[in-house]
Amino acid sequence: MQHLAIAPILLPLLAGAIMIPMDDQRGRLRAALGVASALGLLGIAIALAFLADAGDAAPVFVYRLGNWPAQFGIVLVVDRLAAMLLLLSAVLGLAALLFSLVRWQRMGAHFHALFQFQLMGLNGAFLTGDLFNLFVFFEVLLAASYGLALHGSGVARVKAGLHYIAINLAASLLFLIGVSMIYGVAGTLNMADLAARIPALPAEDRPLLEAGAAILAMAFLAKAAMWPMGFWLAPTYSAASPPAAAIFSMMSKVGFYAVLRLSLLLFGAEAGASAGFGSTWLFLGGLATIAFGAISVLATQDLSRTAGASVLISSGTSLAALGAGQEAVTSGALFYRPARPWRSAPSSCWSSCWSAAARSAPTCWR
């Protein structure tokens, strides 16, 4: 049970690596392996959800790869929010994969391998406990999504795919710049260590920290499709094949998840002078995204673009709720995603547990 936290990353990684050298004559074997991997991920996600729900106050299950200290090693963290998003990804991934078996898997090369790597990147982004590995898993899921966006060729897919790739490459560059600035100020990228160090930062270092956090947030918000950075979403989703578009819908949730996690953990009430940093812009940007998505829904007559515009409304609602800065509103946003903790526990259960881990970082995270 101790090593179960790494399983949602290892299983699709191994399945995708096995599929790559298979030729086209082994399509059925690749499909069977993909379905088996998706079923395995579903079982693992259910087990982790029960594990994360094992106590009255949501526990944080920390897994350190190689037992290295948090400053040097890779740390994975499982709590109720991460476990429920893993379960959501597993259910959606299995449904999309089964639907693709009808004909979509045969429209291009390496569909099943790309799909597995996409699931690996999503799961890793939900589980990681430090910013650098969050960047690594973001790049894994984006690299796989580039192939899935272009899967099946066609002028519309190539045009939308190139726009999607260009925007996400720019967002990745912003991600690296923001992470570098935060590391230069705080001396760590471990999220719990950052939460412990930010309240004690000297006043002269806070502008650089907040500038790095703002640049980092731009990368996340581009992936969450907040206005005016979400123009890529509807064309990309409408041009992609239906199975690819279905799993793409989780990527906007990854962007929101990262903003939610870092906002509450690093800039919560205990962050000192940086408490509530950026919440006003999140609220206003969320409202603008809702308005843009609603106008897009009313203006289009194409069902696929309407679905993409609906995702914009979903992202805008969640971001505006987070920017409101109220626990009850944030709980509603988690319910809406959907990612609410079991037994209707408030969002403070998992956020306060991460904060407690941050305050006692030497014992909980190392």
Side-chain angles (χ1 to χ4, degrees), residues 66-87:
N67 206 30
W68 284 89
Q71 298 93 331
F72 308 107
I74 298 173
V75 177
L76 303 178
V77 183
V78 182
D79 62 2
R80 286 180 179 174
L81 179 62
M84 291 304 293
L85 285 172
L86 285 176
L87 183 57

Side-chain angles (χ1 to χ4, degrees), residues 111 203 233 298 307 365:
F111 172 84
L233 189 144
L298 296 174
W365 289 76

Side-chain angles (χ1 to χ4, degrees), residues 315-329:
S315 292
T317 303
S318 301
L319 292 170
L322 177 60
Q326 300 179 22
E327 179 181 314
V329 180

Side-chain angles (χ1 to χ4, degrees), residues 158-225:
V158 172
K159 181 179 178 179
L162 289 177
H163 290 169
Y164 168 72
I165 291 170
I167 290 171
N168 280 282
L169 286 177
S172 297
L173 178 60
L174 293 176
F175 198 134
L176 277 179
I177 295 172
V179 164
S180 300
M181 294 174 66
I182 292 174
Y183 183 78
V185 173
T188 182
L189 293 178
N190 182 278
M191 295 181 191
D193 278 343
L194 281 171
R197 296 185 186 189
I198 284 176
L201 280 179
E204 60 269 19
D205 288 339
R206 286 193 181 274
L208 187 59
L209 170 75
E210 293 177 356
I215 294 173
L216 189 63
M218 290 179 63
F220 293 142
L221 293 173
K223 293 173 174 60

Side-chain angles (χ1 to χ4, degrees), residues 18 54 172 229 233 243 246 270 322 339 341 345 352:
I18 293 172
S172 297
M229 298 177 287
L233 189 144
E270 299 177 354
L322 177 60
S352 62

